[in-house]
Amino acid sequence: MFIHNMSEAECRHALKQASVARIACAQHSQPYVVPIYFAYNDDHLYSVSTIGQKVEWMRANPLVCVEIDEISSPEEWMSVLVFGRYEELPDLPEYKGVREQALALLQRRSARWWEPACVDKEHRNGSHSCTAVAYRIHIDRISGHHATPDIVQAKEMEIPVEELPAKRSWFADIFGGRRHA
């Protein structure tokens, strides 16, 4: 297997294709990682949540890390990391345009992007609010890696070299039939 650095353009292209990520935040030296639906545009990731541990921790410490990945096989995968800062987009006139943009971007990704938090049993029966909190992550730094099988592995896996990468996915859309040595 060969592991390659991804260019910033390749990382950004991967962000455009993905809609689910994991976001890590921390408070009092304790990390917390959860999946999120998101949409990417320019230098920001946009998402919506309800008030809970993730939002409370990001309010206290706005530095976050977001990870997306795709694993086609043990020898063919991609991972992108975004280091950035949390910013809430409150329902105030000065945030109206960016909130509308965020919601439109999310709606294009999935008609049900808002469901996971609001259908959670804790939110239905507990003390948490189902009030939506729109936010964005300002991208400060981005990096990524991807792996491709080497020729020996491809032969062992009985994959014709001309078919590498074998699985068509957003991974393949980014890297296509490009060969790396």
Side-chain angles (χ1 to χ4, degrees):
M1 164 177 43
F2 295 113
I3 298 177
H4 315 276
N5 289 325
M6 292 171 60
S7 70
E8 184 172 330
E10 289 170 331
C11 291
R12 290 179 183 278
H13 185 76
L15 289 172
K16 286 179 186 174
Q17 303 303 311
S19 58
V20 176
R22 280 160 288 290
I23 189 165
C25 52
Q27 187 172 341
H28 307 298
S29 301
Q30 175 63 55
Y32 179 62
V33 178
V34 293
I36 60 169
Y37 281 109
F38 78 98
Y40 165 77
N41 191 36
D42 296 325
D43 287 327
H44 299 96
L45 304 178
Y46 295 92
S47 190
V48 174
S49 184
T50 56
I51 297 173
Q53 181 172 326
K54 173 179 71 228
V55 170
E56 291 168 359
W57 283 27
M58 291 189 300
R59 284 174 173 172
N61 177 5
L63 299 178
V64 299
C65 183
V66 178
E67 188 266 352
I68 65 164
D69 58 45
E70 180 166 309
I71 302 170
S72 298
S73 75
E75 293 79 25
E76 185 179 7
W77 52 263
M78 169 182 40
S79 177
V80 174
L81 287 177
V82 170
F83 294 89
R85 292 170 284 111
Y86 168 81
E87 178 190 11
E88 246 174 75
L89 306 172
D91 193 8
L92 298 171
E94 59 266 33
Y95 288 94
K96 183 177 188 219
V98 72
R99 279 177 63 87
E100 288 174 354
Q101 175 189 20
L103 298 178
L105 287 166
L106 287 162
Q107 188 67 30
R108 279 193 292 249
R109 305 300 284 156
S110 168
R112 299 172 73 154
W113 54 267
W114 54 270
E115 262 187 356
C118 285
V119 298
D120 184 303
K121 182 180 175 188
E122 236 181 86
H123 286 94
R124 288 188 306 224
N125 302 327
S127 60
H128 287 295
S129 165
C130 208
T131 303
V133 175
Y135 65 92
R136 67 181 169 186
I137 304 300
H138 294 270
I139 297 174
D140 293 330
R141 193 171 84 232
I142 186 171
S143 66
H145 291 90
H146 72 96
T148 56
D150 63 27
I151 300 298
V152 172
Q153 286 171 319
K155 287 180 181 177
E156 288 172 0
M157 296 166 58
E158 298 182 1
I159 300 172
V161 174
E162 61 275 1
E163 291 182 20
L164 292 175
K167 181 179 176 188
R168 291 305 302 173
S169 62
W170 58 269
F171 175 92
D173 290 342
I174 293 170
F175 300 108
R178 207 166 88 189
R179 300 284 177 263
H180 300 277

